[in-house]
Amino acid sequence: MGNIYDGAFRTILNDCRQMIIPVINEVFKEDYTGNEIIEFRPNEHFIEQQDAANRERITDTNFIIYGKKKKKYHLECESSLPDGRMTIRLFEYDAQIALDEGEVINETLTVTFPNTAVLHLRTYKKTPDKMRYVIKTPGGTVEYDVPIMKVQEYSLDDIFSKHLLLLIPFYIFSHEKDFKVYNSNEHRLAELKAEYRNILERLDKLEQEGIIGAFDKHTIIELSSDVIKEIAQKYENVQKGVGDIMGGALIETEARTILNRGKAEGRDETKKEMALRMLRDGELPIDKVAKYSGLDIAEVELLVGLQKV
């Protein structure tokens, strides 16, 4: 999977931890309330190879949720065609996670495997609804399923009604097959842009209602922008059209953050700092810069003049 997608997935998991809960509820049919404590575990492990000098480092995203019971979870994000290697890699991760926290008492080793699931960003004909482990041991056979969450099957209404906000940065994957059409058809591109404006409006509403914080919203918008730039890099109109909407929203979000800090500190320098950042970016007209910075238009025009000196 591309580093951009992988990085976006890990960032939103680590920085917006409570967004994990609705996803876990959806995938594993849990009933967490969202008030549970989430503890992330080390995400780097080493698997010994036959040649001890050559050790393979593997990374994973594993954490513990403290609800009525303490439960381990392991989530992976995948965008490539299923070919069996992912299942092997998952089992390696799971075995290492279990072994890292194994316990030996009276020469009896007890290991606990995590509840594992995979988020597939792309859905192919070969993409199954689940993976399955079958472990044959001298003491008997153990087998269980690893559920797969197919991100492209979730509509915007699904995402917001089920609070699956963690999926928003990857929502663009559901439109990937139509990029060529969007890139050459202004009407269809306008429909896609309208959809992303709707996402921003819904996020604004959630922030106003106190359901998410400014940081969470900022993170979702920023990661969405990163993913769009990566996935649509061959389609300039799509990348610019949707990317500019998210980029503009990101600037406005940063502007409001700086303005709020400026109000708390009572410093005009903060307003000027914010205005200069927006002017350097070049995305907003002077009247919008003035509105979001709290400066007069004349003051912004003066800053423009100073930049040209």
Side-chain angles (χ1 to χ4, degrees), residues 13-14 18 58-59 64 77 140 169 172 179 219 228 242 254 294:
L13 278 179
N14 284 277
Q18 289 310 118
I58 60 175
T59 56
I64 295 172
C77 190
I172 191 66
F179 279 175
T219 301
I228 289 166
V242 183
E254 291 175 346

Side-chain angles (χ1 to χ4, degrees), residues 40-51:
F40 273 78
R41 309 301 294 164
N43 67 346
E44 292 187 351
H45 300 285
F46 291 89
I47 293 181
E48 297 289 350
Q49 305 296 303
Q50 289 182 345
D51 178 1

Side-chain angles (χ1 to χ4, degrees), residues 95-290:
Q96 196 63 48
I97 292 168
L99 190 59
D100 282 351
E101 299 180 10
E103 185 178 44
V104 178
I105 300 176
N106 296 328
E107 298 307 314
T108 298
L109 171 64
T110 301
V111 294
T112 302
F113 274 65
N115 296 275
T116 300
V118 181
L119 277 67
H120 269 272
L121 303 183
R122 293 185 175 100
T123 301
Y124 302 91
K125 289 182 179 179
K126 289 186 177 181
T127 305
D129 294 326
K130 61 186 177 183
M131 297 176 177
R132 188 165 182 80
Y133 294 162
V134 178
I135 308 164
K136 296 182 178 181
T137 77
T141 299
V142 176
E143 54 186 279
Y144 61 95
D145 294 334
V146 174
I148 289 176
M149 184 181 209
K150 299 177 181 178
V151 174
Q152 289 181 320
E153 293 186 351
Y154 288 84
S155 68
L156 275 186
D157 287 340
D158 292 333
I159 288 172
F160 280 96
S161 65
K162 296 182 177 184
H163 304 290
L164 301 173
L165 305 184
L166 186 148
L167 303 185
I168 291 177
F170 310 108
Y171 178 69
I172 191 66
F173 277 86
S174 65
H175 290 282
E176 186 179 18
K177 69 181 187 305
D178 294 320
F179 279 175
K180 188 174 181 179
V181 175
Y182 295 141
N183 205 57
S184 59
N185 187 314
E186 291 185 7
H187 177 71
R188 291 296 306 280
L189 180 60
E191 291 176 347
L192 180 62
K193 291 164 66 175
E195 199 164 4
Y196 269 84
R197 290 191 186 94
N198 180 251
I199 289 175
L200 294 174
E201 290 171 2
R202 290 189 181 199
L203 289 175
D204 282 341
K205 184 178 179 182
L206 291 178
E207 183 188 14
Q208 293 164 8
E209 293 173 348
I211 296 174
I212 62 173
F215 177 81
D216 294 333
K217 187 179 77 171
H218 181 279
T219 301
I220 292 172
I221 295 172
E222 182 176 29
L223 296 178
S224 297
S225 181
D226 290 344
V227 171
I228 289 166
K229 288 177 182 177
E230 176 68 15
I231 194 174
Q233 56 183 303
K234 295 181 180 179
Y235 302 91
E236 182 179 358
N237 292 336
V238 175
Q239 189 182 65
K240 181 174 175 57
V242 183
D244 283 358
I245 289 173
M246 303 308 283
L250 191 61
I251 293 169
E252 292 182 18
T253 302
E254 291 175 346
R256 291 192 188 101
T257 300
I258 297 173
L259 179 57
N260 289 336
R261 187 175 73 224
K263 287 179 178 178
E265 296 173 354
R267 289 163 45 188
D268 288 339
E269 289 80 1
T270 305
K271 296 180 181 180
K272 292 179 181 178
E273 172 195 347
M274 175 174 55
L276 284 169
R277 286 175 62 181
M278 288 187 284
L279 289 171
R280 283 194 293 267
D281 190 84
E283 295 285 346
L284 297 175
I286 288 178
D287 60 329
K288 289 289 186 181
V289 173

Side-chain angles (χ1 to χ4, degrees), residues 36-80:
E36 293 77 13
I37 295 174
I38 302 173
E39 177 187 349
F40 273 78
R41 309 301 294 164
N43 67 346
E44 292 187 351
H45 300 285
F46 291 89
I47 293 181
E48 297 289 350
Q49 305 296 303
Q50 289 182 345
D51 178 1
N54 181 20
R55 296 164 65 194
E56 179 188 1
R57 187 177 79 172
I58 60 175
T59 56
D60 56 79
T61 304
N62 71 97
F63 49 90
I64 295 172
I65 296 180
Y66 293 90
K68 295 176 182 177
K69 294 181 179 180
K70 171 184 171 182
K71 286 190 178 183
K72 289 183 186 179
Y73 292 95
H74 169 207
L75 290 183
E76 286 293 329
C77 190
E78 184 63 40
S79 63
S80 59

